[in-house]
Amino acid sequence: MKDEMTETEVRELSHAIVNQAYEYVNHPCHYGNGENDPYECFKVAEAYGWDKNAYRFTAFRYMVRAGKKPDNPIIQDLEKAVVYLQREIKMLKESAK
């Protein structure tokens, strides 16, 4: 078993890491299964018009990613979603007065 990587192996690994980071930014796996996923979080939000409402969109994003983002407990994301839903409910009640 060898202890060191060849220059080619290092280059290929570096390329893989850069590409992984790039996809993490553009189509994060915790919001769907990539660019071709018709149910990617952002596509669904846009289809329902939730992208135009910060509270609903943010709550939706937290619910979609719950349990999928590394080092982020499910309960933490769901509690964050509740906070944004409570803000939306408060705003709707105030505007109905």
Side-chain angles (χ1 to χ4, degrees):
M1 182 176 181
K2 66 180 185 178
D3 291 334
E4 295 183 26
M5 296 174 69
T6 67
E7 186 177 330
T8 301
E9 290 171 329
V10 170
R11 196 174 321 115
E12 288 174 355
L13 180 60
S14 297
H15 181 71
I17 291 169
V18 168
N19 284 341
Q20 181 181 11
Y22 179 78
E23 287 306 315
Y24 186 82
V25 171
N26 290 297
H27 297 282
C29 59
H30 53 270
Y31 290 129
N33 293 317
E35 183 176 9
N36 295 323
D37 181 356
Y39 301 107
E40 183 180 30
C41 172
F42 301 106
K43 293 175 187 169
V44 172
E46 289 166 355
Y48 283 94
W50 296 338
D51 59 318
K52 296 173 181 49
N53 180 301
Y55 295 140
R56 290 183 202 176
F57 181 58
T58 303
F60 175 68
R61 285 178 39 222
Y62 280 122
M63 289 186 293
V64 167
R65 81 175 199 194
K68 295 179 184 174
K69 194 168 184 184
D71 301 322
N72 222 16
I74 293 173
I75 291 174
Q76 182 181 3
D77 279 337
L78 294 177
E79 287 174 338
K80 288 178 182 179
V82 168
V83 168
Y84 283 94
L85 289 173
Q86 289 172 333
R87 289 175 183 228
E88 173 73 359
I89 291 167
K90 180 181 176 188
M91 185 185 68
L92 290 170
K93 285 182 177 180
E94 289 174 357
S95 68
K97 290 180 184 181

